[in-house]
Amino acid sequence: MTTAPFPPAKFQSFEEKSDPSQVAPRLASLRKAMKTAGVDYFLVPRADAHRGESVPASEARLAYVTGFTGSAGLALIGLKDAQLFVDSRYTLQAPAQTDTSLVAVHEVASLAVDAKPYVKKGAVVAYDPWLHTPGEVRDLTDKLKGHAKVVAHDNLIDAVWSDRPAPPAGAVEILGHNRAGQKAEDKIAQLQRTLAEDGADAVVFTLPESICWLFNIRGRDVPNTPFVLGFAVVPQKGEAKLFLDPAKVTPELETALEGIAGIEAAKKLTKTLEKLGKNGKTVLVDPASAPIAIAETLTSAGAKLIEKRDPVLLPKSRKNEAELSGMREAHRLDGVALAKFLSWFDSEAPKGELTEIGIVTALEAFRREEESCVDASFDTISGAGPNGAIVHYRVSTKTDRRLNPGELMLVDSGAQYLSGTTDITRTLATGEATAEQRDRYTRVLKGMIAISMARFPKGTSGAQIDVLARQFLWADGITYNHGTGHGVGAYLGVHEGPIGIAPRYPLPLEVGNVISNEPGYYKAGEYGIRIENLVVVKEAEGFPGYLEFETLTLAPIDVRLIDRALLTEAERGWLNAFHAQVLAEIGPKVSGDVKAWLEKATAGI
């Protein structure tokens, strides 16, 4: 087993990713290019053409010009002022990363902001059509109607970004049938039947998760997620086309896709779209994710559009048996690493020498003992004491905090194993908890158990069951300001739509959906609590027409923080059964002090 000192982390950097001192010269360069182009304002989204949660370094334009590195944001750069819009996750991070004397930071509920108050009348507002969807552009145009002119333009940041990194060009990995569970040609045939039902001659894909799932491929183009960045066009009849950087294409990939899809250079996509238009084809595009450049190329060439949700998203969310087998294996592997980590943590935390970075480094080291662990599924949230109350806290060398004995420690982490994707949160005791902390922890746990034990009729959505997780907090006049659960991919994105558990998820839950179950409670400036397992939707045994959840995660829940008087017998029974399963599946895979710790941590209460 790995022992301290641990090797340096490979999956996560703790250095500050931004330098506010660079904002001034970069804004000056951009404004010079704007003046030359006759542009008064330029929109800079965080997104790239593929709308991913992570973007490669070559696409991090928002970070380049403002310094802000969060996963969601929008800048409006004027010739004399600059606005940066972020959501509540980043109200602390954004001002710290940018130069607030030059960039005004605004917290907004939605990035569909009303730009009118920040734009002078008669001004020209430009945007890169590859970075905005038709819906986003329509919304912006409507809000500025009669006030300013909105125009498409080549990306002005690219013109001044002299040291822009090269695009990612790693080789594409082919997913075997034992891991995919369905051949790419069968997935495509099913998709083509859907296109026929929708009256579409073809569909254009831009989302990497859809392309990777459809063609049974994976890659290393972005951090934390095994995505291949590219585009695809699938006709209702005939061979699909996959558009990639030629540097990614190997003979193995060409052989794997022979007779299934033609592979062409990404720069040829526009000609293919124009050909569809010239032939008068009806083409399905997802208005929530496809760049407006694609939609306008099609329509200007004569195509008719069907604006509809990406038709791969729902089938992809319904994991097949091979995918679920892989996810279960990934959670067994993760369970072993977590048992080692939690045992280590319990022995070290009382000494008062652990730091947030040290905790992340140790957890990664235990996971990397398994060779099939190829990445973290996101940057670990390692929040000691008051930092645990920052929902999306990211530790850096600047913010790294020592964990004092007696404080709560929140660790939200995940891994990408070749077999599947994991995501788990545990809140850990380091000494005697207060009565308030035990109360809040137990209410959060009761909500998590309520979701875990839920049985519901087919057709029920995640929006409808979200209240089950909140009810015990609501009863005491408190809540949490994030969703209860998000979809999770099978060796894909750790955050996957279109299903989840929150008011924003109206779609019915279906067999095979893998979802997080993670209620929480956060007391600003003091502590945070979150408990998270992954669950999969399955048929309810003995109840025809009903569904229930199977828990995938295999790591103990800290019982030292429970106010046992608040648990019902049913809740206690669920927790004991869960811990018995953890011991049965993980116990034989560990030994010595770790096994002794695991037996104690999973003992019945």
Side-chain angles (χ1 to χ4, degrees):
M1 184 178 81
T2 301
T3 56
F6 298 101
K10 289 175 55 180
F11 300 154
Q12 182 168 341
S13 169
F14 306 108
E15 298 303 315
E16 288 290 338
K17 295 182 179 180
S18 60
D19 181 359
S21 69
Q22 292 297 311
V23 174
R26 290 173 180 177
L27 282 177
S29 296
L30 176 58
R31 285 167 173 155
K32 184 176 180 181
M34 289 165 61
K35 285 182 181 179
T36 302
V39 169
D40 299 302
Y41 298 88
F42 190 67
L43 275 176
V44 187
R46 197 274 185 171
D48 64 2
H50 307 285
R51 314 295 290 189
E53 187 173 352
S54 296
V55 297
S58 58
E59 297 292 319
R61 298 178 181 87
L62 183 62
Y64 174 79
V65 75
T66 69
F68 172 61
T69 62
S71 63
L74 176 71
L76 177 65
I77 309 298
L79 292 173
K80 295 185 178 180
D81 56 20
Q83 320 298 327
L84 174 60
F85 304 96
V86 299
D87 63 37
S88 60
R89 294 174 293 174
Y90 301 114
T91 51
L92 297 177
Q93 178 179 333
Q97 289 187 316
T98 194
D99 183 340
T100 52
S101 69
L102 300 174
V103 180
V105 179
H106 308 271
E107 180 186 327
V108 293
S110 166
L111 291 180
V113 298
D114 183 1
K116 189 174 180 179
Y118 309 100
V119 173
K120 291 183 178 180
K121 188 172 179 61
V124 175
V125 180
Y127 66 91
D128 180 343
W130 283 97
L131 304 183
H132 298 268
T133 66
E136 290 169 344
V137 174
R138 279 195 295 265
D139 180 71
L140 177 68
T141 302
D142 288 345
K143 288 173 178 175
L144 293 178
K145 188 175 182 180
H147 183 79
K149 184 179 181 182
V150 178
V151 300
H153 201 285
D154 290 342
N155 200 293
L156 293 170
I157 292 178
D158 295 354
V160 301
W161 193 352
S162 59
D163 59 347
R164 184 183 177 194
V172 177
E173 173 192 348
I174 298 112
L175 212 61
H177 184 67
N178 63 319
R179 295 164 65 195
Q182 186 179 14
K183 295 179 180 179
E185 53 263 46
D186 294 334
K187 293 179 179 180
I188 292 170
Q190 181 182 6
L191 169 63
Q192 289 174 325
R193 290 192 291 271
T194 299
L195 294 179
E197 293 169 1
D198 289 337
D201 297 309
V203 58
V204 180
F205 289 108
T206 62
L207 294 176
E209 56 263 52
S210 294
I211 293 169
C212 287
W213 181 85
L214 185 63
F215 294 97
N216 290 340
I217 56 176
R218 299 293 188 270
R220 298 282 191 275
D221 285 350
V222 299
N224 306 132
T225 310
F227 281 168
V228 177
L229 298 183
F231 302 93
V233 175
V234 180
Q236 186 196 125
K237 298 178 181 178
E239 188 176 70
K241 287 186 178 180
L242 185 59
F243 297 87
L244 300 173
D245 182 334
K248 301 177 185 177
V249 181
T250 62
E252 291 79 11
L253 179 64
E254 291 176 320
T255 299
L257 294 181
E258 187 175 355
I260 299 171
I263 304 174
E264 299 194 12
K267 63 182 181 181
K268 294 185 177 181
L269 173 65
T270 299
K271 287 187 177 180
T272 297
L273 299 178
E274 290 172 344
K275 185 177 179 180
L276 287 170
K278 289 176 182 177
N279 290 335
K281 300 296 185 180
T282 299
V283 183
L284 191 154
V285 296
D286 185 344
S289 58
I292 192 172
I294 286 177
E296 291 191 339
T297 299
L298 287 164
T299 54
S300 63
K304 178 183 176 182
L305 295 189
I306 296 177
E307 292 193 351
K308 195 170 182 179
R309 183 177 57 234
D310 179 329
V312 156
L313 294 182
L314 273 176
K316 175 170 58 65
S317 74
R318 298 188 289 260
K319 310 297 184 292
N320 61 46
E321 282 306 312
E323 290 171 320
L324 290 177
S325 176
M327 291 292 276
R328 293 186 182 100
E329 174 62 15
H331 281 86
R332 283 190 288 269
L333 296 173
D334 215 36
V336 172
L338 286 159
K340 295 175 181 178
F341 165 74
L342 293 170
S343 171
W344 167 85
F345 178 89
D346 269 5
S347 67
E348 295 296 321
K351 300 176 184 177
E353 299 176 356
L354 294 183
T355 65
E356 293 168 332
I357 288 178
I359 289 167
V360 177
T361 301
L363 176 52
E364 181 183 308
F366 288 121
R367 281 184 165 133
R368 281 167 49 197
E369 288 182 13
E370 167 54 48
E371 291 182 355
S372 68
C373 180
V374 295
D375 205 344
S377 55
F378 56 96
D379 281 351
T380 295
I381 297 170
S382 177
N387 286 345
I390 304 171
V391 176
H392 290 273
Y393 174 66
R394 179 189 173 277
V395 61
S396 69
T397 52
K398 185 176 180 180
T399 67
D400 188 26
R401 186 180 183 282
R402 186 175 296 278
L403 174 64
N404 298 312
E407 292 181 324
L408 297 186
M409 181 69 208
L410 189 153
V411 182
D412 185 348
S413 70
Q416 294 286 3
Y417 296 90
L418 293 177
S419 52
T421 304
T422 70
D423 183 2
I424 175 175
T425 308
R426 290 293 183 262
T427 302
L428 307 172
T430 64
E432 187 65 28
T434 66
E436 179 191 83
Q437 289 171 338
R438 290 197 303 273
D439 176 90
R440 295 325 192 214
Y441 182 90
T442 309
R443 291 176 187 274
V444 169
L445 176 60
K446 285 167 71 72
M448 197 273 282
I449 292 174
I451 293 291
S452 303
M453 295 176 64
R455 183 178 297 122
F456 46 91
K458 292 182 178 180
T460 300
S461 70
Q464 290 173 293
I465 68 169
D466 179 72
V467 64
L468 297 178
R470 299 178 189 270
Q471 58 181 315
F472 306 104
L473 294 166
W474 284 2
D476 207 40
I478 51 179
T479 191
Y480 50 94
N481 295 319
H482 59 74
T484 299
H486 54 82
V488 178
Y491 189 44
L492 276 173
V494 73
H495 297 121
E496 176 180 272
I499 49 84
I501 304 174
R504 68 180 181 274
Y505 293 116
L507 294 176
L509 298 172
E510 298 184 77
V511 171
N513 292 159
V514 175
I515 311 170
S516 70
N517 174 13
E518 51 180 313
Y521 172 76
Y522 311 92
K523 189 171 184 180
E526 294 195 29
Y527 62 88
I529 295 166
R530 188 161 63 250
I531 307 171
E532 175 188 16
N533 284 346
L534 295 193
V535 298
V536 59
V537 181
K538 66 173 188 174
E539 298 277 355
E541 297 179 14
F543 294 88
Y546 279 72
L547 302 174
E548 59 188 7
F549 294 114
E550 169 195 338
T551 297
L552 296 175
T553 304
L554 294 168
I557 293 167
D558 198 332
V559 299
R560 296 168 296 185
L561 293 170
I562 296 174
D563 182 343
R564 300 187 186 190
L566 293 180
L567 289 184
T568 66
E569 283 302 314
E571 291 165 343
R572 193 187 304 260
W574 181 91
L575 184 60
N576 286 339
F578 169 70
H579 278 153
Q581 180 188 6
V582 172
L583 182 60
E585 296 208 35
I586 305 303
K589 301 178 184 297
V590 295
S591 59
D593 291 343
V594 176
K595 187 164 188 175
W597 174 89
L598 185 64
E599 289 171 346
K600 183 178 179 181
T602 57
I605 63 169

